[in-house]
Amino acid sequence: MGQLVNSDNRMPGADKEADLTERIEAFLADLKRGGCGTGPIRGSGETARETTALLRKVTAQARWSSAGDLMEIIRKEGRRMTAAQPSETTVGNMVLRVLKIIREEYARSRGSSEETDQQESLHKLLTSGGLSEENFRQHFVHLKANVIEAINELLTELDGTTDNIAMQALEHIHSNEVIMTVGRSRTVEAFLKDAARKRKFHVIVAECAPFCQGHEMATNLSKASIETTVIADAAIFAVMSRVNKVIIGTQTVLANGGLRAVNGTHTVALAARHHSTPLIVCAPMFKLSPQFPNEEDTFHKFVSPHEVLPFTEGEILSKVNVHCPVFDYVPPELITLFISNIGGNAPSYIYRLMSELYHPEDHDL
Amino acid sequence: PHPSTGGGGIAPLTEQEEEEQPLQAVLVADSFNRRFFPISKDQPRALLPLGNVAMIDYTLEFLTSTGVQETFVFCCWMSNKIKDHLLKSKWCRPTSPNVVHIITSDLYRSLGDVLRDVDAKNLVRNDFILVYGDVVSNIDVSQALQEHRHRRKVDKNISVMTMVFKESSPGHKSRCEEDDVIVAMDSKSKRVLHYQKTQGLKKLQFPMNIFQHGSDEFEIRHDLLDCHISICSPQVAELFTDNFDYQTRNDFVRGILVNEEILGNQIHLYVTQDGYGARVSNLQMYDSVSSDMVRRWVYPLTPEANFTDQQGQGCTHSRHNVYRGAEVSLGHGSQMEENVLIGRDTSIGANCHISNSVIGNNCTIGDNVVLDRAHMWNNVHISSNVEIHQSVVCDGAVVKEAVHLNKQCVLAYNVVIGPNLSLPDGTVVSMHHPEEEEEDDDDEFLSDDQEVGHSKDKTRQKAFNPAEVGPEGKGYIWKASMNDTEDEELAQCLWGLVLNPDPESDSESEASEESQDRSRSVSPEIDDVNAFQLEVLGTLQRGLEENIVCDNLVLEINSLKYAYNITLKEVMQILTRVVLEYPFQQQGTQLTTLQYTGSLLPLLKTWSPVFKNYIKRAQDHLDCLSAVEELFLEQDTHQTAMVKVLMKMYQLEILEEEAILKWFSTGATNDKSRQLRKNQGKQRMSLQRKESEEDESSEEGE
């Protein structure tokens, strides 16, 4: 921030910066208040787009002379954004993507190709550190324009993710299949609707208590004239024997290929494993996070226990402890396939995608 | 430092413009009572930490998150501290979406004063949210706001206020007994028809007219928790100006309801089921709000969210609601069981058991310490082998070896306790000597003899009592040296009314019964009647002590009558009651009947001119008699004294013979109904006996 505020006192610049800080603050406040129980108000796709747009604004308006400065600024803002709502990993992912873009553009401006430098071999790892911070000091006239251009491309990519995933639906859903899903995911919804244009199939939605987003999902699906049944979470195992495929969404795809998904997903995944039902996860690339599941503190998110035991209950509340976690961890071995906007992948391949998306030096902001 | 958004002249607004007006809020950062004394002697209540964050920050965050763009913070007590705090906080940064204006004055004495000032300065231009600086809430009031605006549009500004309530059934620990309300409302329009604080009353009465209001559905609710959040129209400020006797919101609500037909103003309520909202009005509430916060009821205002954006305030949240700040060290074998919040740089020794507690920043805690429901603020030092249960330990306090704090103790700022001491339940220790406080506060409670005694106190003021605070202790027991009932009540109220099933509520119920029995039509003015009764008692007492002439007493009572807006009839009833209760008041309720009459009869003689002044018409006599009757019905052990009292009053020519006889004939039927209710056979006997004696006496008189 210091960079932004102290740099200049010419009026128009100062104005712009004030505007920028205000927008960042508003975004942070939004993130902090986001998700009062029923999950974030906007989808994670929107959060990703907003983050990227904001970072583009930072790139365009902040004062920086070299890629190193810019990366420092982006890192600083990124740290604040991720700290504001640690459970919202897409924000951090987008920051990493932008950092990677800056690295690439810088490397391109220098004439060397960043991609070729990135071959992961033990030898390269040992001798790397060649392109470290002090080397980003060189000034290029077109860097700013190039970075912004690249961020714009990223934004276009983000805009198309849901459609790209939905397009693959026909390859996975066949006629007269019984599909199970859990809770509400915008991606899965689009996926199923897309398949429903050509095929007839039956969707069973687990309601996903206590927030019961499943109800909303079922309503939306039945509006698209898909045969839909809502079941209680307790019935998941019983119904699983009839199910041909489980298609779920997720909040985050972790670095090991596991999921951090809405509560109840683990139950579904275990039941599917028991019945050897394939479990397909629809997850756009921006949900891929370099986080591992052992990082305890930010992994869980506990919201107000109101949904579990209403505040109106009275006396009993002083005698019991009520917790209301939002997420489940689903280990990678329960997952059959990931469908992302760039195609289908096995969980074991996630690490590879990760190294393509993010620069290893950026994993810790 | 803020661009003031041009107050002053308000042009008539078109509706379009009205929509675009920024949402404003009035935050009253003063409680106007001394509930938190002696803690709030050093720090205003709004700045007391709750979960290591000042309470006012919760309120401001609540306002900001509901979309308030301009907040006026009114401070009175220790306004400089509040101002400093706010200027340093994120609310006063230029990027804050909520522009905070701080308005300080030492002249505010009540909420009424603040709102009158709001009106005088023309601060609000549109509907605004009114909250206290100690409200913790995550309720989204935009829904309520919408309803409020809609009502005002439809009904031509009839609705002046929407109160926000939270549903919570009785027995909930976050319900404050003082704020227990019973509300009668129209279920369709959500209009408040009757609003009354229950104050522990067993019997409640509702005016008939609320049932005849012609609405089909009607609810009487006791499952509401007052969040002390109200959405007010600008008229509210004007109404406070017009009615200079409104002091609290309670006065206002009552006033509006009573005068509804005349002024045509209505009050509505908004009941929310989700969301959390409570006001920290005493330590009991502090305890429960703090524990609710740690248990994440106020999500997203949780400790780890660090919504105040302060450097280094962040903490981590792990299982069983254990929160740890940065640089916390925990000794070997220590356990943080559940619902524990530990601030940064705090170190905890070995083998400690901590549960349901909040510990501030920079605290040191020794070995083998047991903390349960303890609230420790910043820089507290706890030595080894200490046990603390449900207590508050303020900034800088030191607890030495092997001290045992029982429930509901309070160690105020910089107090030192111990070693080897056990403080009994409800002990309050402060560095302020109770009497020193009386002195520099120059308020009306100050009585003469205390001032005389003060010079003596000064000499012993420096010495701390080792029996009270331990051999190395520093501090004075706050409550012990209080002999004034008024102050004792206040000190106890630190923890709320739970501790003391207060004597106040009894008298209150009587008062309300009394007023209700007579005048069924009006909703109860309990407070006024009660206050008036106390004033009359005081006047008579002083009259007796200083030998004031009865004419002057009459003069004083008359002026009180106007001050409290009491009818002549009530004056007489209250006067009768006060006089008859006077012996009990002075000598306790354990008097025998003989003692009672012995002390009462001379009093009657002294004050007979006062009575004669008020009892003139025949109806007055009857009213007076019924007051007498009622009192003796309550004091049923002293019923035999009634005969003597009536006799004396007759002899003093306060009461006329016909009146007594007439009362007897009508009163008997009245009594029968009472007897039926109370199943008391004795009453009739005494009445009959009285009759015969009365007949005799009247004959004698003739």
Side-chain angles (χ1 to χ4, degrees):
Chain A
M1 241 27 258
Q3 194 94 23
L4 298 183
V5 176
N6 308 332
S7 61
D8 209 320
N9 42 18
R10 276 181 306 157
M11 267 326 278
D15 246 12
K16 263 187 189 172
E17 274 156 22
D19 174 53
L20 180 60
T21 5
E22 205 163 299
R23 282 200 42 186
I24 293 173
E25 293 296 330
F27 183 66
L28 288 179
D30 251 19
L31 279 177
K32 275 189 187 180
R33 289 177 201 128
C36 297
T38 47
I41 302 149
R42 33 169 191 225
S44 46
E46 207 172 313
T47 312
R49 276 197 294 279
E50 234 172 278
T51 316
T52 317
L54 199 58
L55 291 175
R56 183 179 60 182
K57 218 175 164 61
V58 172
T59 314
Q61 293 185 356
R63 316 228 146 235
W64 50 277
S65 54
S66 67
D69 291 348
L70 179 61
M71 282 164 74
E72 205 37 59
I73 293 168
I74 299 272
R75 256 191 218 121
K76 198 163 185 176
E77 294 304 328
R79 269 196 294 270
R80 289 181 61 207
M81 286 179 194
T82 41
Q85 185 62 270
S87 71
E88 198 65 62
T89 43
T90 40
V91 178
N93 298 345
M94 285 304 105
V95 176
L96 297 190
R97 285 289 285 273
V98 170
L99 285 174
K100 167 92 170 169
I101 284 172
I102 298 167
R103 282 173 191 276
E104 278 172 4
E105 290 304 323
Y106 182 79
R108 233 157 40 112
S109 306
R110 277 177 87 228
S112 66
S113 160
E114 173 86 341
E115 283 93 322
T116 50
D117 278 6
Q118 272 304 288
Q119 290 299 328
E120 270 183 47
S121 71
L122 265 181
H123 178 253
K124 274 276 152 55
L125 281 174
L126 276 172
T127 56
S128 75
L131 206 66
S132 62
E133 294 291 312
E134 62 267 20
N135 292 3
F136 286 102
R137 291 286 157 229
Q138 221 169 316
H139 179 76
F140 294 107
V141 189
H142 295 297
L143 185 62
K144 191 173 193 170
N146 290 343
V147 169
I148 289 175
E149 183 62 27
I151 296 178
N152 280 338
E153 274 167 30
L154 175 60
L155 274 171
T156 335
E157 185 201 319
L158 290 178
D159 278 332
T161 44
T162 313
D163 290 341
N164 286 339
I165 293 174
M167 259 159 41
Q168 305 167 46
L170 290 177
E171 297 165 25
H172 298 278
I173 297 175
H174 309 292
S175 286
N176 298 323
E177 273 190 332
V178 178
I179 312 279
M180 181 186 271
T181 186
V182 61
R184 170 159 192 249
S185 152
R186 289 167 178 81
T187 319
V188 173
E189 194 183 311
F191 191 80
L192 294 173
K193 278 182 183 168
D194 196 85
R197 290 191 291 121
K198 289 254 175 69
R199 310 237 158 98
K200 267 205 114 36
F201 54 94
H202 184 178
V203 179
I204 296 173
V205 184
E207 64 173 1
C208 208
F211 304 113
C212 296
Q213 306 103 315
H215 297 176
E216 198 187 338
M217 177 79 158
T219 327
N220 292 348
L221 289 179
S222 57
K223 269 186 202 148
S225 56
I226 298 173
E227 198 184 345
T228 313
T229 313
V230 179
I231 56 166
D233 295 343
I236 288 172
F237 188 81
V239 173
M240 189 57 82
S241 56
R242 291 180 49 207
V243 174
N244 300 105
K245 231 167 236 145
V246 178
I247 299 178
I248 56 170
T250 182
Q251 203 258 351
T252 305
V253 179
L254 299 161
N256 66 344
L259 302 181
R260 176 162 68 172
V262 72
N263 248 354
T265 312
H266 197 190
T267 323
V268 173
L270 285 171
R273 163 51 50 97
H274 184 88
H275 291 282
S276 298
T277 315
L279 180 87
I280 298 174
V281 180
C282 291
M285 291 302 280
F286 64 77
K287 292 196 173 176
L288 196 57
S289 156
Q291 207 182 10
F292 279 89
N294 52 1
E295 288 155 26
E296 273 291 326
D297 292 334
T298 55
F299 190 78
H300 292 284
K301 176 177 171 187
F302 289 87
V303 297
S304 164
H306 174 81
E307 299 285 344
V308 182
L309 192 65
F311 192 75
T312 43
E313 281 300 323
E315 258 172 290
I316 187 138
L317 286 179
S318 45
K319 294 172 188 136
V320 295
N321 275 322
V322 192
H323 298 284
C324 184
V326 178
F327 298 123
D328 256 355
Y329 167 63
V330 183
E333 50 284 10
L334 300 180
I335 298 160
T336 320
L337 187 69
F338 281 103
I339 300 175
S340 72
N341 41 326
I342 55 167
N345 290 302
S348 53
Y349 192 67
I350 292 294
Y351 87 98
R352 189 67 219 170
L353 293 175
M354 190 93 65
S355 68
E356 274 172 28
L357 285 178
Y358 312 122
H359 195 277
E361 274 177 36
D362 292 332
H363 284 188
D364 296 317
L365 270 179
Chain B
H2 296 289
S4 84
T5 31
I10 341 165
L13 298 161
T14 66
E15 285 199 359
Q16 185 103 56
E17 277 173 296
E18 229 168 288
E19 291 295 314
E20 286 163 14
Q21 288 281 330
L23 182 57
Q24 295 175 310
V26 170
L27 193 159
V28 185
D30 202 314
S31 53
F32 304 114
N33 64 33
R34 307 155 100 211
R35 253 313 144 58
F36 273 69
F37 265 29
I39 302 172
S40 57
K41 250 185 104 57
D42 295 305
Q43 189 86 322
R45 193 201 287 188
L47 295 190
L48 300 183
L50 184 89
N52 297 340
V53 174
M55 288 202 262
I56 196 168
D57 287 330
Y58 288 95
T59 317
L60 281 168
E61 171 67 20
F62 154 68
L63 291 175
T64 311
S65 66
T66 54
V68 171
Q69 286 162 290
E70 192 176 16
T71 307
F72 300 98
V73 179
F74 286 83
C75 341
C76 173
W77 174 249
M78 298 206 159
S79 49
N80 284 339
K81 282 198 174 184
I82 299 178
K83 204 168 176 176
D84 285 350
H85 175 86
L86 288 180
L87 288 177
K88 268 187 254 163
S89 74
K90 78 163 183 177
W91 313 110
C92 285
R93 287 183 204 158
T95 52
S96 166
N98 182 3
V99 180
V100 175
H101 304 277
I102 305 163
I103 297 162
T104 60
S105 164
D106 291 337
L107 299 175
Y108 301 137
R109 283 281 169 271
S110 69
L111 177 69
D113 292 339
V114 168
L115 284 172
R116 280 185 275 278
D117 202 37
V118 167
D119 187 40
K121 289 183 175 153
N122 247 332
L123 294 175
V124 295
R125 297 177 294 277
N126 209 332
D127 295 339
F128 63 99
I129 298 176
L130 174 68
V131 285
Y132 279 101
D134 43 15
V135 168
V136 176
S137 169
N138 64 355
I139 295 173
D140 185 5
V141 296
S142 51
Q143 173 78 18
L145 200 67
Q146 229 167 29
E147 282 178 23
H148 179 81
R149 284 181 176 151
H150 177 72
R151 267 196 293 268
R152 282 178 62 76
K153 211 179 259 176
V154 171
D155 287 347
K156 297 272 176 298
N157 297 348
I158 280 178
S159 170
V160 290
M161 189 193 237
T162 302
M163 298 191 281
V164 178
F165 284 90
K166 164 144 190 58
E167 221 171 66
S168 79
S169 41
H172 198 288
K173 69 182 160 62
S174 301
R175 272 175 78 118
C176 176
E177 282 195 28
E178 295 158 56
D179 277 338
D180 238 10
V181 287
I182 194 144
V183 178
M185 63 182 251
D186 189 327
S187 355
K188 269 191 200 140
S189 64
K190 302 272 182 264
R191 206 182 106 200
V192 180
L193 300 171
H194 182 76
Y195 175 91
Q196 191 183 342
K197 295 206 171 191
T198 55
Q199 289 173 313
L201 302 187
K202 289 271 178 333
K203 208 160 71 181
L204 291 158
Q205 281 167 18
F206 296 93
M208 277 301 283
N209 59 346
I210 63 169
F211 298 98
Q212 299 158 342
H213 226 282
S215 82
D216 313 338
E217 284 171 62
F218 178 83
E219 286 173 32
I220 294 181
R221 302 190 65 160
H222 187 236
D223 64 337
L224 297 177
L225 173 75
D226 192 348
C227 302
H228 289 274
I229 299 165
S230 10
I231 299 164
C232 307
S233 57
Q235 269 162 288
V236 171
E238 288 162 25
L239 282 166
F240 266 94
T241 312
D242 294 345
N243 299 278
F244 55 87
D245 55 331
Y246 287 170
Q247 297 300 315
T248 61
R249 194 183 72 162
N250 209 19
D251 292 346
F252 174 79
V253 172
R254 283 241 204 82
I256 291 289
L257 293 179
V258 168
N259 299 323
E260 194 186 307
E261 283 90 20
I262 309 162
L263 297 170
N265 291 324
Q266 295 179 348
I267 292 182
H268 290 79
L269 88 177
Y270 174 79
V271 179
T272 171
Q273 280 176 342
D274 33 50
Y276 182 89
R279 183 178 172 210
V280 180
S281 46
N282 54 40
L283 277 185
Q284 188 75 37
M285 283 301 281
Y286 177 87
D287 184 33
S288 49
V289 171
S290 171
S291 91
D292 283 343
M293 204 260 309
V294 169
R295 286 161 204 240
R296 307 182 76 77
W297 283 100
V298 206
Y299 184 88
L301 300 188
T302 47
E304 90 277 10
N306 187 19
F307 60 87
T308 51
D309 240 359
Q310 273 164 342
Q311 280 290 312
Q313 260 303 344
C315 57
T316 61
H317 171 228
S318 34
R319 268 158 201 272
H320 307 292
N321 292 335
V322 173
Y323 305 83
R324 273 167 303 155
E327 307 292 322
V328 168
S329 77
L330 192 65
H332 182 76
S334 284
Q335 281 180 10
M336 297 187 286
E337 280 170 24
E338 52 181 15
N339 306 321
V340 178
L341 167 59
I342 299 177
R344 78 184 117 85
D345 298 324
T346 287
S347 69
I348 295 169
N351 298 318
C352 298
H353 272 263
I354 304 172
S355 55
N356 306 309
S357 299
V358 175
I359 300 170
N361 302 328
N362 286 317
C363 294
T364 49
I365 293 173
D367 300 339
N368 301 316
V369 173
V370 177
L371 301 178
D372 182 43
R373 296 179 75 184
H375 301 274
M376 290 167 33
W377 298 353
N378 301 328
N379 306 316
V380 172
H381 292 266
I382 308 270
S383 304
S384 299
N385 304 315
V386 171
E387 224 173 285
I388 298 180
H389 297 280
Q390 202 194 355
S391 296
V392 176
V393 182
C394 300
D395 286 6
V398 177
V399 180
K400 304 242 173 194
E401 291 263 320
V403 170
H404 195 113
L405 294 190
N406 281 312
K407 283 189 174 176
Q408 307 195 332
C409 287
V410 176
L411 303 185
Y413 291 88
N414 304 320
V415 160
V416 182
I417 290 287
N420 301 319
L421 188 75
S422 171
L423 289 184
D425 283 13
T427 315
V428 180
V429 185
S430 160
M431 288 306 279
H432 296 279
H433 198 275
E435 266 129 51
E436 156 218 337
E437 118 85 5
E438 297 272 310
E439 197 233 328
D440 55 31
D441 244 41
D442 60 82
D443 55 20
E444 65 273 17
F445 300 133
L446 196 68
S447 70
D448 291 345
D449 50 342
Q450 264 166 332
E451 201 141 33
V452 177
H454 185 74
S455 52
K456 274 182 273 167
D457 289 332
K458 261 202 173 140
T459 52
R460 72 176 172 90
Q461 202 160 91
K462 284 281 165 277
F464 303 111
N465 185 352
E468 285 172 356
V469 295
E472 294 167 30
K474 286 180 190 163
Y476 306 98
I477 300 277
W478 176 254
K479 197 171 68 181
S481 55
M482 299 265 176
N483 40 17
D484 197 358
T485 50
E486 194 105 31
D487 279 333
E488 192 156 1
E489 214 169 88
L490 279 171
Q492 284 180 329
C493 283
L494 205 55
W495 279 101
L497 291 179
V498 183
L499 252 189
N500 50 332
D502 52 333
E504 191 191 353
S505 75
D506 288 338
S507 62
E508 197 121 40
S509 67
E510 284 162 26
S512 72
E513 261 172 51
E514 187 180 43
S515 68
Q516 293 273 311
D517 279 346
R518 301 297 129 68
S519 50
R520 196 150 290 177
S521 51
V522 224
S523 100
E525 294 280 308
I526 303 174
D527 285 341
D528 279 356
V529 171
N530 204 33
F532 178 73
Q533 186 170 347
L534 284 174
E535 291 278 1
V536 169
L537 177 67
T539 308
L540 291 180
Q541 219 165 345
R542 213 151 16 84
L544 210 61
E545 282 162 11
E546 296 168 21
N547 266 329
I548 295 174
V549 193
C550 282
D551 284 348
N552 290 345
L553 286 181
V554 169
L555 210 61
E556 240 176 89
I557 293 174
N558 274 342
S559 64
L560 286 173
K561 165 181 175 298
Y562 290 115
Y564 288 95
N565 193 15
I566 303 285
T567 61
L568 199 60
K569 187 171 153 188
E570 280 172 319
V571 171
M572 198 184 51
Q573 282 160 353
I574 290 168
L575 180 69
T576 315
R577 167 174 286 273
V578 166
V579 169
L580 293 184
E581 275 178 351
Y582 196 81
F584 296 127
Q585 199 68 249
Q586 297 297 305
Q587 297 159 40
T589 42
Q590 292 88 359
L591 287 179
T592 64
T593 312
L594 209 62
Q595 280 170 323
Y596 173 70
T597 46
S599 56
L600 180 66
L601 294 183
L603 288 175
L604 278 177
K605 187 163 182 179
T606 330
W607 287 328
S608 65
V610 183
F611 276 104
K612 278 179 194 162
N613 184 66
Y614 289 105
I615 304 172
K616 285 176 181 149
R617 293 171 302 146
Q619 185 59 39
D620 298 342
H621 289 265
L622 286 180
D623 287 339
C624 172
L625 278 167
S626 60
V628 174
E629 174 191 355
E630 193 170 285
L631 184 109
F632 280 102
L633 280 175
E634 280 160 25
Q635 305 281 353
D636 42 14
T637 49
H638 298 298
Q639 271 162 4
T640 44
M642 184 170 176
V643 189
K644 289 196 177 143
V645 171
L646 287 180
M647 183 80 173
K648 189 75 185 174
M649 288 176 107
Y650 172 71
Q651 283 170 354
L652 290 168
E653 294 175 354
I654 297 171
L655 294 174
E656 284 171 12
E657 182 196 345
E658 299 98 77
I660 298 179
L661 290 175
K662 191 173 173 201
W663 162 76
F664 178 70
S665 56
T666 58
T669 59
N670 209 343
D671 264 311
K672 261 180 209 159
S673 60
R674 275 175 199 281
Q675 278 167 349
L676 276 179
R677 248 191 286 144
K678 298 194 172 185
N679 278 333
Q680 221 177 39
K682 240 174 119 185
Q683 177 68 18
R684 178 175 275 173
M685 276 171 58
S686 81
L687 272 173
Q688 274 166 351
R689 236 189 305 145
K690 181 163 54 184
E691 176 197 23
S692 59
E693 275 183 54
E694 237 131 64
D695 282 347
E696 280 166 34
S697 69
S698 61
E699 274 159 30
E700 272 170 38
E702 277 170 284

